[in-house]
Amino acid sequence: MVEENSNMLLGTGDKPTALRWLLLAIQHVCAMFGATILVPIVVNTTAGADILSIPVALVSSGIGTLIYLICTRNRSPVYLGSSFAFIAPMVAGYAIGGTGSVFTALMIVGIVYVIISLIIRMTGPSWINRLLPPVVVGPMIMVIGLSLAPTAISSIGLDLEVVPWQSLFVAFISFLVTAIVAVRGKGILQVIPFLVGIVVGYIVAAALGMVDFSATLAAHVIEVPKFYMPFMSYNLNFAAVLTIVPIALVTMVEHVGDHKVLSEIIGRDLIEDPGLQRTLLGDGLATFVAALLGGPANTTYGENTSVVGMTRVASTYVIGLAAVIAIIFAFSGHLTAILTAIPGPVLGGISVLLYGFICVNGLKILIHNQVDFNNNKNVVVAATMLVLGLGGAALSFAYGDLSISISGMSLAAIVGVLLNLLVPEENHE
């Protein structure tokens, strides 16, 4: 069993040194860093506007993790980072109602988590599996990954009539390095393939003169992140809410799955102790606070779960120290400027793999749970969700001055849940 929540290192009987704690925490920071900073970069690139900030994403990740640790009574070594599931909905929400509506909707996502945690406290968690079985969750995750594919293509420049050779070369190097590290990497490298791909691609792009370092040279050593306060320019847009909030159904299942995996690693059922009601409460409050500050929704990070399995140390104190380090990084002006200057082809190259990984994870859920597609009900649910989610389907309703629109992933999620509940089981007689 992995040693957890103690002052001792597994199998040694010795107290770890301060340096050992620090090195363990840095490994967790490296694991979350690449994905956490990618979310604001991809959202801003896709929307063509500055919706999210990298420093605020780091701060909200660190604060969110500390909130989670408090809510779980320091009993669950989970790190929270920026959620990829909300990328496309945030872009769509911005187009509908602007930046204020995005963060308002994300705060409601956090409230939904809290409400469900209270329901679970009273009724137990078994109903979640009935409401969101693998045949609904798998296609939903596939839609999330595939709907982001055009962003990767445009970042590389493959949608242009003539693609600059530098862009192709940098994207290819970023892609290749990420792929090799993901397949052949050892130790901590195996956990951070996307971060390695960004670093190598960045260096190659800089060598080719594709990086502008003027902002980095002009940056200050310490800069306060530009926090956004939605309550100061409150914008409750029901169309944006209905576009973003239903994705909470998917991330909730992701939350449960990550905790089950970590439970197997540490040898203690986190769904029972500290309990799903506490873990969802922590995740929900973390997302609410993140949105309040102007950051993306938080979610449990499988990358950090892998670090726990690799290091065989599952101390919540290490996770807490990693959260503090992430917050400190957010106040570095030079780091922010360097990250902001990452060229599009670098992001495009690794995004080809990243979005593909997300899609394949949905497929893995279907395979792992042995979803039977000889059963026509499963075919109906999955096929409908994929077509609606990827086909740009939208439903709009108007009542007086109130206009509501549900589209894309949110529509696919809602329809998938309803079809699974309403379509009868196939009769084999």
Side-chain angles (χ1 to χ4, degrees):
M1 184 179 75
V2 175
E3 179 152 346
E4 54 160 329
N5 222 21
S6 72
N7 293 325
M8 314 295 282
L9 297 181
L10 183 64
T12 65
D14 298 325
K15 288 187 176 182
T17 62
L19 179 60
R20 173 64 166 155
W21 282 126
L22 180 61
L23 291 175
L24 287 168
I26 289 175
Q27 289 186 69
H28 279 282
V29 173
C30 289
M32 55 70 66
F33 195 82
T36 297
I37 67 169
L38 264 181
V39 171
I41 292 173
V42 172
V43 168
N44 294 346
T45 301
T46 305
D50 291 332
I51 301 173
L52 297 176
S53 159
I54 292 174
V56 176
L58 288 171
V59 169
S60 57
S61 169
I63 292 177
T65 299
L66 295 176
I67 290 173
Y68 172 90
L69 293 176
I70 293 172
C71 289
T72 56
R73 299 180 299 183
N74 220 33
R75 294 285 292 163
S76 180
V78 166
Y79 194 95
L80 301 182
S82 305
S83 173
F84 278 86
F86 289 94
I87 289 178
M90 279 192 286
V91 173
Y94 171 78
I96 293 170
T99 307
S101 67
V102 171
F103 296 128
T104 301
L106 290 179
M107 284 191 285
I108 294 175
V109 168
I111 294 172
V112 168
Y113 264 66
V114 172
I115 292 173
I116 291 178
S117 73
L118 296 176
I119 295 174
I120 289 175
R121 182 182 293 274
M122 294 183 290
T123 65
S126 60
W127 60 272
I128 291 182
N129 291 330
R130 292 195 297 270
L131 184 67
L132 298 167
V135 72
V136 173
V137 176
M140 193 63 252
I141 294 176
M142 294 173 69
V143 168
I144 290 171
L146 292 176
S147 65
L148 294 168
T151 302
I153 300 304
S154 62
S155 295
I156 298 172
L158 291 175
D159 56 344
L160 303 175
E161 290 185 7
V162 179
V163 185
W165 71 267
Q166 296 94 333
S167 296
L168 279 177
F169 181 71
V170 169
F172 175 72
I173 293 297
S174 303
F175 171 89
L176 188 62
V177 169
T178 304
I180 292 174
V181 173
V183 174
R184 300 298 297 272
K186 303 295 182 182
I188 187 64
L189 288 179
Q190 193 175 31
V191 183
I192 56 171
F194 297 106
L195 182 58
V196 175
I198 289 175
V199 172
V200 174
Y202 200 117
I203 293 172
V204 173
L208 293 175
M210 298 173 62
V211 182
D212 181 7
F213 289 108
S214 59
T216 304
L217 297 175
H220 298 91
V221 176
I222 299 177
E223 292 185 4
V224 178
K226 296 179 181 178
F227 297 109
Y228 182 87
M229 298 297 179
F231 287 129
M232 295 180 65
S233 56
Y234 197 84
N235 183 6
L236 179 60
N237 186 297
F238 287 102
V241 169
L242 288 175
T243 298
I244 294 174
V245 172
I247 306 303
L249 298 175
V250 179
T251 54
M252 216 174 304
V253 176
E254 179 185 37
H255 175 104
V256 174
D258 284 341
H259 282 80
K260 286 183 177 179
V261 171
L262 185 56
S263 296
E264 294 177 4
I265 292 175
I266 69 175
R268 174 166 58 83
D269 189 355
L270 297 173
I271 304 299
E272 296 294 330
D273 178 19
L276 188 58
Q277 69 277 9
R278 287 185 174 273
T279 63
L280 279 174
L281 175 65
D283 205 342
L285 291 178
T287 293
F288 182 89
V289 171
L292 187 65
L293 296 175
N298 279 326
T299 189
T300 53
Y301 261 21
E303 294 92 334
N304 295 86
T305 299
S306 299
V307 173
V308 170
M310 181 186 66
T311 61
R312 300 191 61 76
V313 176
S315 171
T316 52
Y317 302 121
V318 170
I319 299 294
L321 179 57
V324 172
I325 293 174
I327 294 172
I328 293 173
F329 277 2
F331 287 83
S332 170
H334 289 101
L335 178 62
T336 300
I338 290 173
L339 295 174
T340 304
I342 297 176
V346 174
L347 298 175
I350 66 170
S351 293
V352 169
L353 273 177
L354 179 63
Y355 303 154
F357 272 32
I358 295 173
C359 175
V360 171
N361 279 336
L363 187 60
K364 285 167 63 177
I365 287 177
L366 297 174
I367 295 172
H368 178 73
N369 291 277
Q370 299 181 335
V371 175
D372 181 14
F373 281 106
N374 287 320
N375 184 328
N376 284 332
K377 175 182 177 179
N378 292 336
V379 173
V380 167
V381 173
T384 305
M385 292 180 67
L386 290 172
V387 171
L388 292 178
L390 299 175
L395 283 177
S396 298
F397 307 93
Y399 182 78
D401 295 331
L402 178 63
S403 178
I404 298 175
S405 178
I406 310 172
S407 61
M409 281 185 251
S410 299
L411 181 60
I414 294 171
V415 170
V417 170
L418 293 176
L419 285 177
N420 180 68
L421 294 175
L422 299 177
V423 174
E425 294 294 336
E426 186 175 4
N427 188 346
H428 294 285
E429 293 183 4

